[in-house]
Amino acid sequence: VRQRRQSLVSALVFDCDGVLADTERYGHLPAFNQAFREFNLPVEWSVEEYGRRLKIGGGKERMASLLTPDFVSAAGLPTDPDEQAAEVARWHRRKTVIYTEMVAAGKLPPRPGIRRVISAAQDAGWKLGVASTSAEAAVHAILEYAVGPERAARFDLVLAGDCVPKKKPAPDIYLLALEKLGVDPAGVLVVEDSRNGLEAAHAADLRCLVTVNGYTEKEDFSEAILVVSSLGDPDGEPATVIANRSAARPGGYLTLADLEACLAS
């Protein structure tokens, strides 16, 4: 590994929600529910119900999954599909504003190791990207809060929202990332937190490191090269290895050498 250190990794591509910060339970869920209240919609997602909605990629798509005939009738919504889509877009715009205000208020701290690993990778000359199905404004907000405006501005790529027609678990967003970064897939490591994200990376023929969270810790990550509780920090929360199919041998926190080792075998 040491002899090939400069060529093993050419790019790291991060998912946003659940990877950069634990955003789903403490950010997106309360933002969705506040938006529902503001629009007088007869729904409030519980922690468990939102976990089921997370199987659907994309916030607008999760909101659109509410549109059963009974819900449309109870909420007094139009029956025309185009008008319904416009309503969902309006709800989602408001939800995104609520969420970004929560991020700006410091309510969603970065996950362990994110700021440390991103800073080290940038200083080592690696390309960095984000590939997320969340709204673009929300992704930029959490990225800037997680690593600071200066580090966020140095990212080579941020893909978010409706940049591709098919969202995760389809591979489209990672194929687009490869095209825009102009890198060899063999030198790209994806960091995800969910089965949907792993499937998207795997279908794009990319190796994937998974950092689980409370919503995803029991999902199937058979295709992941390494599964950990978090990236860990030397003076903070340690990383626990859940599954390891790589040459990496991380201690209490993952280093750039561990990430390189995920691509070495």
Side-chain angles (χ1 to χ4, degrees), residues 223-241:
E223 301 89 347
I225 192 68
L226 179 63
V227 184
V228 292
S229 59
S230 72
L231 298 179
D233 275 318
D235 299 320
E237 178 182 313
T240 298
V241 175

Side-chain angles (χ1 to χ4, degrees), residues 127 156-159 163 174-183:
K127 290 187 175 182
D156 299 276
L157 178 73
V158 176
L159 297 178
C163 61
Y174 284 118
L175 295 174
L176 180 61
L178 287 173
E179 176 186 334
K180 288 187 173 293
L181 287 171
V183 293

Side-chain angles (χ1 to χ4, degrees), residues 55-258:
K55 306 299 181 185
I56 303 169
K60 286 195 297 293
E61 289 78 3
R62 287 172 204 150
M63 284 179 152
S65 71
L66 292 169
L67 298 178
T68 64
D70 287 345
F71 183 88
V72 168
S73 176
L77 298 173
T79 56
D80 178 75
D82 290 338
E83 292 182 17
Q84 288 181 354
E87 281 294 299
V88 169
R90 191 162 66 100
W91 304 341
H92 190 255
R93 283 194 298 271
R94 176 58 186 150
K95 177 261 170 184
T96 298
V97 170
I98 296 166
Y99 174 80
T100 53
E101 289 174 348
M102 294 175 68
V103 174
K107 296 182 178 180
L108 302 171
R111 291 202 65 195
I114 282 295
R115 185 171 293 162
R116 174 181 57 81
V117 166
I118 286 174
S119 297
Q122 287 181 332
D123 292 346
W126 297 0
K127 290 187 175 182
L128 268 71
V130 174
S132 171
T133 57
S134 287
E136 186 173 356
V139 172
H140 280 285
I142 201 67
L143 178 61
E144 288 194 8
Y145 189 79
V147 300
E150 182 181 344
R151 291 284 182 184
R154 290 174 57 185
F155 265 67
D156 299 276
L157 178 73
V158 176
L159 297 178
D162 299 320
C163 61
V164 290
K166 295 181 180 179
K167 297 186 177 180
K168 301 171 186 178
D172 299 39
I173 196 165
Y174 284 118
L175 295 174
L176 180 61
L178 287 173
E179 176 186 334
K180 288 187 173 293
L181 287 171
V183 293
D184 183 347
V188 177
L189 182 64
V190 170
V191 185
E192 275 282 359
D193 74 309
S194 69
R195 176 71 194 170
N196 268 2
L198 171 61
E199 286 186 10
H202 186 67
D205 200 25
L206 298 174
R207 293 205 179 180
C208 185
L209 182 161
V210 172
T211 62
V212 301
N213 58 58
Y215 272 125
T216 66
E217 60 189 356
K218 295 183 179 179
E219 294 183 354
D220 176 15
F221 296 120
S222 301
E223 301 89 347
I225 192 68
L226 179 63
V227 184
V228 292
S229 59
S230 72
L231 298 179
D233 275 318
D235 299 320
E237 178 182 313
T240 298
V241 175
I242 299 169
N244 190 356
R245 304 172 186 90
S246 74
R249 296 295 179 264
Y253 59 96
L254 275 70
T255 65
L256 294 193
D258 294 317

